[in-house]
Amino acid sequence: MSASAHIHDNAGWPMASPVLSVLIPFLRDDPGVLLALLEREALALDGAVELVLLDDGTADPALTARLTAQIDALALPTRLITLTANEGRSIGRNRLASAARGGSLLFLDSDMRPDHDRFLQTWARLTTEQAPAVAFGGFSLLQAPQEARFAVHRSMAAKSDCLSHERRALQPEKYVFTSNLLVRRDVFETEAFDPGFSGWGWEDVEWAMRVSRRFAVVHLDNTATHMGLDTVEALAAKYEQSAPNFARVVARHPDFVAAYPSYRVAKKLKTVPGLKAVRPLFKRAAHMTALPVPLRAFSLRLYRAALYAEAI
């Protein structure tokens, strides 16, 4: 059963004719800082870009009131959709796309921060001049927190996520995440996110696998910083959630997944006797602050692979 929704539009929304819709889902986060950064480009954009935000069931009246006041002060045409209950990542993104009016959709998580002040202008220009089916701008860690508790995640993200656009283009479907992701509307209407995925992980990569079989996936250098680094415990919990999703991807796209290191390691670990008993040791090592960060990161990767080995 779908959650009920309250919709709030600012004064710029009704008359705008955007070419690009920026879609920002959030849950128990405050996207106010991101809105302020995007607003810096409002004058240069002159109505070509709109913002659509989805509060996926936070149920925080104070946050809603703050955001409503901020949105009313924005020059960027903006809509806020507030849900009474959580619907999940895939359904939420599909709902955002239904509310958008632009010919292209830019998915941008609330914990992202543009790395330069022509971020939206770059996307709008690409949309107008080339209208790619799918394009990913890339992640960085330029503005990410430096606290020691995030050191393992920072190390892992730098190695596997924050890659150059040339490197990402070598496996275009693999390096597609629903943050800083541009999708042309007709492509999204052809291939929406699968609501069968639950919890965290892999629904964006699985979507990209499907799309890449029919459309070109472009990679460019228009990065934003992923501010939401996790502790080891939080990241391990996400990996635990993601194991069934990984198995779902393996079943659907064995040809793509066969080239992924995470799959190859999981297949090897599957043959290890007593893996289930050994697996907690990988997680424990990742928690040990006395160990070098690269070793802790390697241990957490092994923990993830061991989870995946049991799922496939």
Side-chain angles (χ1 to χ4, degrees), residues 32-76:
V33 174
L34 176 59
L35 295 183
L37 293 173
L38 298 178
E39 175 69 5
R40 297 182 305 182
E41 300 188 58
L43 183 62
L45 291 167
D46 192 27
V49 175
E50 68 178 8
L51 309 181
V52 188
L53 292 88
L54 176 72
D55 181 344
D56 196 7
T58 300
D60 184 344
L63 174 61
T64 301
R66 287 199 307 274
L67 282 177
T68 300
Q70 182 179 5
I71 287 168
D72 285 342
L74 296 180
L76 287 169

mmCIF file of all heavy atoms in Angstrom, residues 32-76:
data_model
loop_
_atom_site.group_PDB
_atom_site.id
_atom_site.type_symbol
_atom_site.label_atom_id
_atom_site.label_comp_id
_atom_site.label_asym_id
_atom_site.label_seq_id
_atom_site.Cartn_x
_atom_site.Cartn_y
_atom_site.Cartn_z
ATOM 1 N N GLY A 32 19.281 20.626 3.406
ATOM 2 C CA GLY A 32 19.365 22.087 3.331
ATOM 3 C C GLY A 32 20.686 22.612 2.803
ATOM 4 O O GLY A 32 20.709 23.575 2.022
ATOM 5 N N VAL A 33 21.796 22.009 3.209
ATOM 6 C CA VAL A 33 23.111 22.466 2.727
ATOM 7 C C VAL A 33 23.222 22.254 1.217
ATOM 8 O O VAL A 33 23.692 23.133 0.485
ATOM 9 C CB VAL A 33 24.247 21.738 3.473
ATOM 10 C CG1 VAL A 33 25.600 22.099 2.863
ATOM 11 C CG2 VAL A 33 24.228 22.090 4.949
ATOM 12 N N LEU A 34 22.798 21.097 0.739
ATOM 13 C CA LEU A 34 22.829 20.831 -0.701
ATOM 14 C C LEU A 34 21.981 21.845 -1.457
ATOM 15 O O LEU A 34 22.399 22.368 -2.495
ATOM 16 C CB LEU A 34 22.342 19.417 -0.982
ATOM 17 C CG LEU A 34 22.223 19.030 -2.464
ATOM 18 C CD1 LEU A 34 23.560 19.157 -3.179
ATOM 19 C CD2 LEU A 34 21.662 17.616 -2.608
ATOM 20 N N LEU A 35 20.797 22.156 -0.954
ATOM 21 C CA LEU A 35 19.929 23.137 -1.617
ATOM 22 C C LEU A 35 20.614 24.491 -1.719
ATOM 23 O O LEU A 35 20.549 25.162 -2.762
ATOM 24 C CB LEU A 35 18.613 23.276 -0.860
ATOM 25 C CG LEU A 35 17.700 22.045 -0.824
ATOM 26 C CD1 LEU A 35 16.398 22.382 -0.099
ATOM 27 C CD2 LEU A 35 17.404 21.548 -2.226
ATOM 28 N N ALA A 36 21.281 24.904 -0.647
ATOM 29 C CA ALA A 36 21.961 26.192 -0.652
ATOM 30 C C ALA A 36 23.077 26.225 -1.689
ATOM 31 O O ALA A 36 23.287 27.234 -2.385
ATOM 32 C CB ALA A 36 22.515 26.502 0.738
ATOM 33 N N LEU A 37 23.809 25.111 -1.830
ATOM 34 C CA LEU A 37 24.886 25.056 -2.815
ATOM 35 C C LEU A 37 24.338 25.082 -4.241
ATOM 36 O O LEU A 37 24.891 25.746 -5.128
ATOM 37 C CB LEU A 37 25.715 23.785 -2.593
ATOM 38 C CG LEU A 37 26.514 23.737 -1.286
ATOM 39 C CD1 LEU A 37 27.143 22.356 -1.102
ATOM 40 C CD2 LEU A 37 27.576 24.818 -1.255
ATOM 41 N N LEU A 38 23.260 24.371 -4.489
ATOM 42 C CA LEU A 38 22.660 24.371 -5.828
ATOM 43 C C LEU A 38 22.064 25.737 -6.172
ATOM 44 O O LEU A 38 22.125 26.177 -7.329
ATOM 45 C CB LEU A 38 21.581 23.288 -5.917
ATOM 46 C CG LEU A 38 22.040 21.844 -5.718
ATOM 47 C CD1 LEU A 38 20.855 20.896 -5.783
ATOM 48 C CD2 LEU A 38 23.096 21.451 -6.758
ATOM 49 N N GLU A 39 21.540 26.417 -5.186
ATOM 50 C CA GLU A 39 20.908 27.720 -5.407
ATOM 51 C C GLU A 39 21.900 28.760 -5.925
ATOM 52 O O GLU A 39 21.500 29.728 -6.591
ATOM 53 C CB GLU A 39 20.258 28.199 -4.098
ATOM 54 C CG GLU A 39 19.653 29.599 -4.121
ATOM 55 C CD GLU A 39 18.410 29.716 -4.999
ATOM 56 O OE1 GLU A 39 17.938 28.685 -5.532
ATOM 57 O OE2 GLU A 39 17.897 30.848 -5.148
ATOM 58 N N ARG A 40 23.189 28.570 -5.667
ATOM 59 C CA ARG A 40 24.193 29.518 -6.145
ATOM 60 C C ARG A 40 24.209 29.633 -7.666
ATOM 61 O O ARG A 40 24.670 30.635 -8.209
ATOM 62 C CB ARG A 40 25.589 29.099 -5.658
ATOM 63 C CG ARG A 40 25.781 29.103 -4.156
ATOM 64 C CD ARG A 40 27.202 28.725 -3.764
ATOM 65 N NE ARG A 40 27.610 27.430 -4.322
ATOM 66 C CZ ARG A 40 28.790 26.855 -4.092
ATOM 67 N NH1 ARG A 40 29.678 27.464 -3.312
ATOM 68 N NH2 ARG A 40 29.078 25.681 -4.618
ATOM 69 N N GLU A 41 23.683 28.630 -8.337
ATOM 70 C CA GLU A 41 23.679 28.634 -9.803
ATOM 71 C C GLU A 41 22.350 29.091 -10.389
ATOM 72 O O GLU A 41 22.179 29.090 -11.614
ATOM 73 C CB GLU A 41 24.010 27.244 -10.333
ATOM 74 C CG GLU A 41 25.383 26.715 -9.909
ATOM 75 C CD GLU A 41 25.749 25.432 -10.621
ATOM 76 O OE1 GLU A 41 25.788 25.448 -11.876
ATOM 77 O OE2 GLU A 41 25.976 24.416 -9.952
ATOM 78 N N ALA A 42 21.407 29.473 -9.556
ATOM 79 C CA ALA A 42 20.049 29.771 -10.019
ATOM 80 C C ALA A 42 20.021 30.855 -11.085
ATOM 81 O O ALA A 42 19.337 30.728 -12.112
ATOM 82 C CB ALA A 42 19.168 30.159 -8.830
ATOM 83 N N LEU A 43 20.756 31.937 -10.868
ATOM 84 C CA LEU A 43 20.726 33.055 -11.814
ATOM 85 C C LEU A 43 21.245 32.622 -13.180
ATOM 86 O O LEU A 43 20.642 32.939 -14.220
ATOM 87 C CB LEU A 43 21.557 34.223 -11.269
ATOM 88 C CG LEU A 43 21.567 35.501 -12.122
ATOM 89 C CD1 LEU A 43 20.149 36.064 -12.236
ATOM 90 C CD2 LEU A 43 22.503 36.550 -11.512
ATOM 91 N N ALA A 44 22.332 31.886 -13.209
ATOM 92 C CA ALA A 44 22.910 31.439 -14.476
ATOM 93 C C ALA A 44 22.005 30.442 -15.199
ATOM 94 O O ALA A 44 22.001 30.382 -16.429
ATOM 95 C CB ALA A 44 24.286 30.825 -14.229
ATOM 96 N N LEU A 45 21.231 29.684 -14.447
ATOM 97 C CA LEU A 45 20.386 28.648 -15.050
ATOM 98 C C LEU A 45 19.094 29.211 -15.628
ATOM 99 O O LEU A 45 18.515 28.631 -16.552
ATOM 100 C CB LEU A 45 20.064 27.575 -14.006
ATOM 101 C CG LEU A 45 21.248 26.718 -13.580
ATOM 102 C CD1 LEU A 45 20.907 25.916 -12.334
ATOM 103 C CD2 LEU A 45 21.675 25.783 -14.707
ATOM 104 N N ASP A 46 18.601 30.293 -15.060
ATOM 105 C CA ASP A 46 17.426 31.000 -15.601
ATOM 106 C C ASP A 46 16.240 30.070 -15.858
ATOM 107 O O ASP A 46 15.629 30.074 -16.926
ATOM 108 C CB ASP A 46 17.822 31.724 -16.892
ATOM 109 C CG ASP A 46 16.750 32.713 -17.364
ATOM 110 O OD1 ASP A 46 15.988 33.209 -16.510
ATOM 111 O OD2 ASP A 46 16.675 32.968 -18.586
ATOM 112 N N GLY A 47 15.919 29.230 -14.878
ATOM 113 C CA GLY A 47 14.726 28.382 -14.977
ATOM 114 C C GLY A 47 14.908 27.088 -15.738
ATOM 115 O O GLY A 47 13.953 26.322 -15.890
ATOM 116 N N ALA A 48 16.127 26.808 -16.216
ATOM 117 C CA ALA A 48 16.347 25.604 -17.020
ATOM 118 C C ALA A 48 16.408 24.337 -16.171
ATOM 119 O O ALA A 48 16.312 23.230 -16.695
ATOM 120 C CB ALA A 48 17.631 25.731 -17.830
ATOM 121 N N VAL A 49 16.575 24.498 -14.851
ATOM 122 C CA VAL A 49 16.707 23.357 -13.947
ATOM 123 C C VAL A 49 15.714 23.489 -12.804
ATOM 124 O O VAL A 49 15.572 24.575 -12.221
ATOM 125 C CB VAL A 49 18.139 23.263 -13.383
ATOM 126 C CG1 VAL A 49 18.241 22.145 -12.348
ATOM 127 C CG2 VAL A 49 19.151 23.045 -14.500
ATOM 128 N N GLU A 50 15.014 22.407 -12.480
ATOM 129 C CA GLU A 50 14.124 22.370 -11.323
ATOM 130 C C GLU A 50 14.635 21.333 -10.332
ATOM 131 O O GLU A 50 15.380 20.418 -10.689
ATOM 132 C CB GLU A 50 12.694 22.021 -11.737
ATOM 133 C CG GLU A 50 12.537 20.589 -12.247
ATOM 134 C CD GLU A 50 11.103 20.221 -12.615
ATOM 135 O OE1 GLU A 50 10.239 21.116 -12.613
ATOM 136 O OE2 GLU A 50 10.861 19.030 -12.916
ATOM 137 N N LEU A 51 14.223 21.498 -9.060
ATOM 138 C CA LEU A 51 14.564 20.546 -8.007
ATOM 139 C C LEU A 51 13.295 19.859 -7.538
ATOM 140 O O LEU A 51 12.266 20.513 -7.337
ATOM 141 C CB LEU A 51 15.211 21.259 -6.812
ATOM 142 C CG LEU A 51 16.376 22.200 -7.080
ATOM 143 C CD1 LEU A 51 16.887 22.785 -5.766
ATOM 144 C CD2 LEU A 51 17.503 21.493 -7.816
ATOM 145 N N VAL A 52 13.365 18.530 -7.372
ATOM 146 C CA VAL A 52 12.255 17.763 -6.806
ATOM 147 C C VAL A 52 12.810 16.950 -5.643
ATOM 148 O O VAL A 52 13.692 16.114 -5.842
ATOM 149 C CB VAL A 52 11.596 16.831 -7.841
ATOM 150 C CG1 VAL A 52 10.324 16.211 -7.248
ATOM 151 C CG2 VAL A 52 11.277 17.577 -9.127
ATOM 152 N N LEU A 53 12.308 17.200 -4.442
ATOM 153 C CA LEU A 53 12.783 16.503 -3.257
ATOM 154 C C LEU A 53 11.717 15.546 -2.761
ATOM 155 O O LEU A 53 10.518 15.854 -2.809
ATOM 156 C CB LEU A 53 13.124 17.492 -2.137
ATOM 157 C CG LEU A 53 14.329 18.397 -2.350
ATOM 158 C CD1 LEU A 53 13.911 19.676 -3.066
ATOM 159 C CD2 LEU A 53 14.978 18.755 -1.018
ATOM 160 N N LEU A 54 12.166 14.390 -2.256
ATOM 161 C CA LEU A 54 11.253 13.404 -1.679
ATOM 162 C C LEU A 54 11.708 13.052 -0.272
ATOM 163 O O LEU A 54 12.786 12.474 -0.086
ATOM 164 C CB LEU A 54 11.214 12.138 -2.534
ATOM 165 C CG LEU A 54 10.351 11.006 -1.964
ATOM 166 C CD1 LEU A 54 8.862 11.355 -2.085
ATOM 167 C CD2 LEU A 54 10.644 9.682 -2.664
ATOM 168 N N ASP A 55 10.894 13.404 0.712
ATOM 169 C CA ASP A 55 11.108 12.953 2.088
ATOM 170 C C ASP A 55 10.409 11.604 2.216
ATOM 171 O O ASP A 55 9.187 11.525 2.287
ATOM 172 C CB ASP A 55 10.522 13.971 3.065
ATOM 173 C CG ASP A 55 10.743 13.572 4.519
ATOM 174 O OD1 ASP A 55 11.070 12.402 4.781
ATOM 175 O OD2 ASP A 55 10.565 14.430 5.394
ATOM 176 N N ASP A 56 11.221 10.543 2.260
ATOM 177 C CA ASP A 56 10.686 9.187 2.193
ATOM 178 C C ASP A 56 10.295 8.669 3.577
ATOM 179 O O ASP A 56 10.736 7.603 4.012
ATOM 180 C CB ASP A 56 11.715 8.263 1.549
ATOM 181 C CG ASP A 56 11.113 6.940 1.085
ATOM 182 O OD1 ASP A 56 9.879 6.786 1.149
ATOM 183 O OD2 ASP A 56 11.885 6.058 0.665
ATOM 184 N N GLY A 57 9.440 9.447 4.273
ATOM 185 C CA GLY A 57 8.872 8.979 5.528
ATOM 186 C C GLY A 57 9.652 9.344 6.771
ATOM 187 O O GLY A 57 9.584 8.620 7.770
ATOM 188 N N THR A 58 10.365 10.470 6.766
ATOM 189 C CA THR A 58 11.118 10.895 7.949
ATOM 190 C C THR A 58 10.201 11.163 9.143
ATOM 191 O O THR A 58 10.556 10.877 10.285
ATOM 192 C CB THR A 58 11.941 12.157 7.645
ATOM 193 O OG1 THR A 58 12.857 11.875 6.585
ATOM 194 C CG2 THR A 58 12.711 12.633 8.870
ATOM 195 N N ALA A 59 9.023 11.733 8.868
ATOM 196 C CA ALA A 59 8.045 12.039 9.922
ATOM 197 C C ALA A 59 8.628 12.987 10.968
ATOM 198 O O ALA A 59 8.536 12.761 12.172
ATOM 199 C CB ALA A 59 7.526 10.766 10.577
ATOM 200 N N ASP A 60 9.240 14.073 10.491
ATOM 201 C CA ASP A 60 9.832 15.091 11.351
ATOM 202 C C ASP A 60 9.240 16.443 10.971
ATOM 203 O O ASP A 60 9.733 17.114 10.062
ATOM 204 C CB ASP A 60 11.353 15.094 11.176
ATOM 205 C CG ASP A 60 12.057 16.068 12.112
ATOM 206 O OD1 ASP A 60 11.385 16.952 12.676
ATOM 207 O OD2 ASP A 60 13.288 15.954 12.268
ATOM 208 N N PRO A 61 8.177 16.889 11.669
ATOM 209 C CA PRO A 61 7.522 18.152 11.309
ATOM 210 C C PRO A 61 8.464 19.353 11.354
ATOM 211 O O PRO A 61 8.328 20.283 10.545
ATOM 212 C CB PRO A 61 6.406 18.282 12.350
ATOM 213 C CG PRO A 61 6.141 16.884 12.801
ATOM 214 C CD PRO A 61 7.465 16.193 12.759
ATOM 215 N N ALA A 62 9.422 19.352 12.281
ATOM 216 C CA ALA A 62 10.357 20.475 12.378
ATOM 217 C C ALA A 62 11.238 20.543 11.128
ATOM 218 O O ALA A 62 11.487 21.629 10.583
ATOM 219 C CB ALA A 62 11.212 20.333 13.633
ATOM 220 N N LEU A 63 11.720 19.397 10.671
ATOM 221 C CA LEU A 63 12.521 19.366 9.452
ATOM 222 C C LEU A 63 11.691 19.814 8.253
ATOM 223 O O LEU A 63 12.161 20.614 7.422
ATOM 224 C CB LEU A 63 13.060 17.957 9.213
ATOM 225 C CG LEU A 63 13.799 17.729 7.890
ATOM 226 C CD1 LEU A 63 15.024 18.629 7.772
ATOM 227 C CD2 LEU A 63 14.200 16.260 7.745
ATOM 228 N N THR A 64 10.480 19.334 8.161
ATOM 229 C CA THR A 64 9.602 19.727 7.053
ATOM 230 C C THR A 64 9.370 21.237 7.052
ATOM 231 O O THR A 64 9.407 21.874 5.992
ATOM 232 C CB THR A 64 8.259 18.993 7.154
ATOM 233 O OG1 THR A 64 8.488 17.584 7.131
ATOM 234 C CG2 THR A 64 7.340 19.370 6.001
ATOM 235 N N ALA A 65 9.160 21.806 8.223
ATOM 236 C CA ALA A 65 8.932 23.255 8.319
ATOM 237 C C ALA A 65 10.166 24.033 7.882
ATOM 238 O O ALA A 65 10.064 25.031 7.147
ATOM 239 C CB ALA A 65 8.547 23.629 9.749
ATOM 240 N N ARG A 66 11.357 23.591 8.313
ATOM 241 C CA ARG A 66 12.595 24.278 7.920
ATOM 242 C C ARG A 66 12.798 24.207 6.407
ATOM 243 O O ARG A 66 13.152 25.206 5.761
ATOM 244 C CB ARG A 66 13.801 23.650 8.621
ATOM 245 C CG ARG A 66 13.924 23.958 10.086
ATOM 246 C CD ARG A 66 15.348 23.703 10.598
ATOM 247 N NE ARG A 66 15.854 22.378 10.299
ATOM 248 C CZ ARG A 66 15.635 21.303 11.058
ATOM 249 N NH1 ARG A 66 14.876 21.407 12.155
ATOM 250 N NH2 ARG A 66 16.151 20.135 10.726
ATOM 251 N N LEU A 67 12.585 23.024 5.845
ATOM 252 C CA LEU A 67 12.778 22.867 4.409
ATOM 253 C C LEU A 67 11.767 23.672 3.609
ATOM 254 O O LEU A 67 12.104 24.271 2.583
ATOM 255 C CB LEU A 67 12.678 21.388 4.036
ATOM 256 C CG LEU A 67 13.895 20.529 4.332
ATOM 257 C CD1 LEU A 67 13.614 19.078 3.986
ATOM 258 C CD2 LEU A 67 15.107 21.027 3.556
ATOM 259 N N THR A 68 10.536 23.681 4.069
ATOM 260 C CA THR A 68 9.500 24.455 3.373
ATOM 261 C C THR A 68 9.864 25.927 3.319
ATOM 262 O O THR A 68 9.741 26.581 2.274
ATOM 263 C CB THR A 68 8.148 24.262 4.068
ATOM 264 O OG1 THR A 68 7.785 22.873 4.040
ATOM 265 C CG2 THR A 68 7.066 25.072 3.375
ATOM 266 N N ALA A 69 10.339 26.471 4.439
ATOM 267 C CA ALA A 69 10.740 27.885 4.475
ATOM 268 C C ALA A 69 11.933 28.128 3.546
ATOM 269 O O ALA A 69 11.976 29.143 2.821
ATOM 270 C CB ALA A 69 11.084 28.282 5.907
ATOM 271 N N GLN A 70 12.902 27.216 3.554
ATOM 272 C CA GLN A 70 14.068 27.380 2.684
ATOM 273 C C GLN A 70 13.671 27.301 1.217
ATOM 274 O O GLN A 70 14.132 28.101 0.385
ATOM 275 C CB GLN A 70 15.119 26.319 3.003
ATOM 276 C CG GLN A 70 16.394 26.463 2.175
ATOM 277 C CD GLN A 70 17.445 25.421 2.523
ATOM 278 O OE1 GLN A 70 17.210 24.514 3.315
ATOM 279 N NE2 GLN A 70 18.632 25.540 1.933
ATOM 280 N N ILE A 71 12.820 26.347 0.886
ATOM 281 C CA ILE A 71 12.383 26.168 -0.498
ATOM 282 C C ILE A 71 11.625 27.389 -0.996
ATOM 283 O O ILE A 71 11.784 27.817 -2.148
ATOM 284 C CB ILE A 71 11.531 24.884 -0.609
ATOM 285 C CG1 ILE A 71 12.447 23.658 -0.508
ATOM 286 C CG2 ILE A 71 10.710 24.854 -1.892
ATOM 287 C CD1 ILE A 71 11.719 22.358 -0.306
ATOM 288 N N ASP A 72 10.810 27.982 -0.140
ATOM 289 C CA ASP A 72 10.061 29.176 -0.536
ATOM 290 C C ASP A 72 10.975 30.347 -0.869
ATOM 291 O O ASP A 72 10.592 31.252 -1.616
ATOM 292 C CB ASP A 72 9.087 29.585 0.576
ATOM 293 C CG ASP A 72 7.871 28.677 0.635
ATOM 294 O OD1 ASP A 72 7.616 27.969 -0.358
ATOM 295 O OD2 ASP A 72 7.188 28.662 1.670
ATOM 296 N N ALA A 73 12.196 30.341 -0.328
ATOM 297 C CA ALA A 73 13.144 31.428 -0.581
ATOM 298 C C ALA A 73 14.042 31.156 -1.785
ATOM 299 O O ALA A 73 14.814 32.040 -2.189
ATOM 300 C CB ALA A 73 14.006 31.659 0.659
ATOM 301 N N LEU A 74 13.957 29.963 -2.361
ATOM 302 C CA LEU A 74 14.825 29.618 -3.488
ATOM 303 C C LEU A 74 14.335 30.241 -4.790
ATOM 304 O O LEU A 74 13.128 30.322 -5.045
ATOM 305 C CB LEU A 74 14.883 28.098 -3.671
ATOM 306 C CG LEU A 74 15.495 27.256 -2.561
ATOM 307 C CD1 LEU A 74 15.457 25.772 -2.945
ATOM 308 C CD2 LEU A 74 16.917 27.682 -2.252
ATOM 309 N N ALA A 75 15.288 30.640 -5.630
ATOM 310 C CA ALA A 75 14.948 31.065 -6.987
ATOM 311 C C ALA A 75 14.775 29.859 -7.905
ATOM 312 O O ALA A 75 14.007 29.911 -8.867
ATOM 313 C CB ALA A 75 16.028 31.990 -7.529
ATOM 314 N N LEU A 76 15.474 28.756 -7.616
ATOM 315 C CA LEU A 76 15.300 27.535 -8.397
ATOM 316 C C LEU A 76 13.886 26.994 -8.201
ATOM 317 O O LEU A 76 13.415 26.887 -7.069
ATOM 318 C CB LEU A 76 16.299 26.473 -7.955
ATOM 319 C CG LEU A 76 17.769 26.659 -8.350
ATOM 320 C CD1 LEU A 76 18.649 25.671 -7.603
ATOM 321 C CD2 LEU A 76 17.956 26.497 -9.854
#
